Amino acid sequence: MTVVRLAWWAATVGLALAIAPQIDPLVDHGASAVPLGICAGVILFATLARKRISPAALATVPRARLLARTLALTVRAAHEEAVWRAVALGFLVAPIGRAGALLVSTLLFAAGHVGRQGRRAVQHVWTGAVFGAAYLATGRLGAAIGAHAAYNVLVGVGLLSVSDMSETANGERRASFVRSSEPPVRPPARAAKRPVPATVASLAAVSKSFGTVRALDGVDLELRSGEVLALLGPNGAGKSTAVSLLLGLRRPDSGQALLHGRDPRDPAARRTVGVVLQDVGFPLSLRVREAVDFVCAHFPDAPPTEAVLARFELTELSERVALGLSGGQQRRLAVALALAGKPRTVFLDEPTAGMDATARRALLRDIGAFAAGGGAVLLTTQQLAEAEEVASRVVLLVRGRTLLEGTVGEVRARAGIAKVTVRAEELPRLPGVASVESSVDRHVVYVEDADAFVAALVHSGVSFRELEVTPVSLEDAFVTLTRGAGG
């Protein structure tokens, strides 16, 4: 914790102690104020969540974790109550009275929390009103702290008793034990169906700006176990920004990023992640073998160094300085290091850049095998043929927004075009043509309706040959869908 933050905490607590005596208690409960506050927090949770936590569910919560989080939430609640109740509410009692002070401080509390924790303003009005009423009724800040802490602890226990990753009342995906002031809701009953792969990384309504440039604007994205998700888009679409948010290298301006159910900046979230970023660099004198040795030493179940070198065809390069390798060889080493620790999730940003055809195909096989074994891969690439070959799903970003997502087949169908190749001395102007690429007498025509185009071509009387109608590739669809959306 920084000195500035410590000073902020000390200042608010000191101010709270100075203002708190201004509250003239209606009822002086003394030592019973804290238990009364805890009861108020429990009743508030039961009312808003409409959920009973059974003893059996509570028994599944790890005791050490529950104790640690309870302590942390109580300290956090104490600081918040010092700010919102003792300072804000206490300061307002004299000029506008108890009722006015409670109303204004509650609305300020709700407004302050809506921007950080979601859109359920009514939820925060209720919680702020109850915490403030506990303070006013007893004249004890401990009552408000007890209510706030009890409520937040029950929120966390309720989430743990449902699942390791539950959905809170504002519709966001949260980690198993959260610091939110929103109660869990019971998931609706659903008919039995195939298990949905677990989400290992996600962006929820995430926005990020750099100065006046809006890199991401309300983006939702999910990476699931057992899949290769190709993140595509023209230059400047926000792909690298999305990856940096998921890895905790940057923070979203709004929305939420999660990695393995945690804040991506938490080292525990990144412990089972392998990464190849767009820019690869190595220390000046580090040799290939030394780099692999160093990474493998950090993981107890990492394969032997020789096995990693052989898998990525680096054995013959093992004694060379990493910075002396060609661009493609450095890329191969970077991928080897990303996979050396047997990660659960891998982020690959242009992993095949500079690789020869043999190395590229070997890497694509490795990526497919990794996902087939239950791993999750987020792949960004300009080589759309690669994405078409290995991707389970595709997300297309354009100008910081999600244009569409789906399987490769769904994206191709969404483009709404077919590809017709034909040889003719001259191609007449025909209806339904999206675009034409001509080279001497060979014409590649992208059309909305292939049958109608061929019929029109026949009726035009133009002599043609070698007519071929084929489905569009992912690259064809990409060009069509992003036309005019570059930069």
Side-chain angles (χ1 to χ4, degrees):
M1 183 177 292
T2 64
V3 174
V4 173
R5 189 155 193 168
L6 281 172
W8 159 245
W9 276 56
T12 53
V13 172
L15 187 57
L17 293 175
I19 294 177
Q22 297 182 28
I23 298 293
D24 180 18
L26 299 176
V27 182
D28 188 357
H29 290 290
S32 64
V34 173
L36 285 172
I38 292 174
C39 289
V42 172
I43 293 171
L44 175 65
F45 172 83
T47 302
L48 294 182
R50 297 183 178 88
K51 177 181 177 60
R52 183 177 67 85
I53 301 174
S54 67
L58 187 59
T60 64
V61 180
R63 291 291 178 269
R65 188 179 181 192
L66 176 60
L67 180 62
R69 295 303 293 159
T70 298
L71 179 61
L73 289 172
T74 301
V75 172
R76 183 181 176 87
H79 183 253
E80 283 214 52
E81 291 309 302
V83 173
W84 292 108
R85 253 51 71 177
V87 175
L89 191 156
F91 180 79
L92 292 170
V93 166
I96 63 177
R98 290 174 176 277
L102 179 61
L103 175 62
V104 173
S105 64
T106 297
L107 293 178
L108 290 173
F109 175 80
H113 283 71
V114 165
R116 291 182 296 159
Q117 296 179 358
R119 302 174 182 172
R120 296 294 291 270
V122 175
Q123 214 90 52
H124 297 298
V125 170
W126 274 105
T127 55
V130 169
F131 303 155
Y135 182 33
L136 283 176
T138 64
R140 297 290 189 270
L141 188 59
I145 294 172
H148 196 152
Y151 177 80
N152 276 359
V153 169
L154 286 173
V155 169
V157 174
L159 286 174
L160 282 171
S161 66
V162 174
S163 67
D164 285 340
M165 178 65 73
S166 302
E167 188 171 285
T168 59
N170 69 351
E172 295 177 347
R173 299 290 290 179
R174 293 290 176 94
S176 56
F177 206 121
V178 297
R179 294 184 292 182
S180 169
S181 293
E182 300 170 11
V185 293
R186 185 175 306 169
R190 297 180 179 176
K193 56 176 68 176
R194 291 181 60 186
V196 178
T199 299
V200 298
S202 64
L203 299 178
V206 163
S207 295
K208 180 67 178 178
S209 297
F210 300 98
T212 59
V213 178
R214 190 79 157 176
L216 293 176
D217 188 3
V219 169
D220 293 307
L221 183 147
E222 282 193 357
L223 173 63
R224 304 166 190 148
S225 59
E227 75 169 1
V228 179
L229 176 63
L231 186 59
L232 308 178
N235 292 333
K239 303 185 297 297
S240 294
T241 301
V243 171
S244 66
L245 293 173
L246 287 169
L247 290 173
L249 302 177
R250 297 185 184 276
R251 298 176 60 181
D253 296 334
S254 62
Q256 184 182 48
L258 284 177
L259 178 61
H260 298 153
R262 300 171 181 265
D263 186 322
R265 291 170 294 158
D266 184 345
R270 301 195 300 264
R271 194 163 291 134
T272 55
V273 172
V275 181
V276 176
L277 295 177
Q278 196 169 39
D279 296 320
V280 175
F282 299 99
L284 287 173
S285 60
L286 192 70
R287 299 181 184 277
V288 171
R289 181 184 299 278
E290 292 170 340
V292 177
D293 278 338
F294 178 77
V295 171
C296 288
H298 285 76
F299 300 94
D301 59 345
T305 297
E306 293 300 333
V308 176
L309 293 171
R311 176 183 175 186
F312 293 94
E313 299 182 0
L314 294 169
T315 303
E316 295 183 359
L317 306 173
S318 62
E319 300 306 320
R320 289 182 55 180
V321 174
L323 274 181
L325 301 178
S326 69
Q329 290 169 339
Q330 286 191 19
R331 212 71 182 162
R332 207 156 77 223
L333 175 57
V335 174
L337 298 179
L339 295 176
K342 296 185 178 179
R344 174 183 171 190
T345 306
V346 176
F347 291 81
L348 302 175
D349 195 353
E350 301 288 345
T352 62
M355 287 188 181
D356 58 41
T358 302
R360 184 185 301 117
R361 295 204 63 82
L363 175 58
L364 294 179
R365 285 195 300 271
D366 275 334
I367 292 173
F370 177 79
V377 180
L378 180 64
L379 172 69
T380 66
T381 179
Q382 296 292 342
Q383 304 297 324
L384 299 185
E386 296 177 358
E388 189 166 17
E389 182 174 343
V390 300
S392 312
R393 285 191 304 125
V394 170
V395 171
L396 180 57
L397 290 181
V398 175
R399 294 197 180 105
R401 292 176 178 266
T402 303
L403 180 62
L404 59 87
E405 70 171 287
T407 64
V408 171
E410 290 168 344
V411 172
R412 288 191 303 217
R414 181 71 177 272
I417 57 173
K419 180 178 178 181
V420 179
T421 305
V422 62
R423 288 191 179 275
E425 294 300 324
E426 185 178 354
L427 196 65
R429 297 177 64 88
L430 298 173
V433 175
S435 63
V436 180
E437 299 172 3
S438 298
S439 177
V440 190
D441 65 341
R442 185 177 183 274
H443 311 279
V444 179
V445 189
Y446 297 95
V447 298
E448 299 169 2
D449 186 332
D451 293 339
F453 172 80
V454 172
L457 181 62
V458 171
H459 288 115
S460 71
V462 171
S463 176
F464 63 88
R465 64 190 185 280
E466 297 180 23
L467 178 70
E468 183 180 10
V469 179
T470 57
V472 293
S473 66
L474 181 60
E475 183 172 353
D476 297 329
F478 176 87
V479 171
T480 299
L481 292 167
T482 60
R483 186 174 289 115

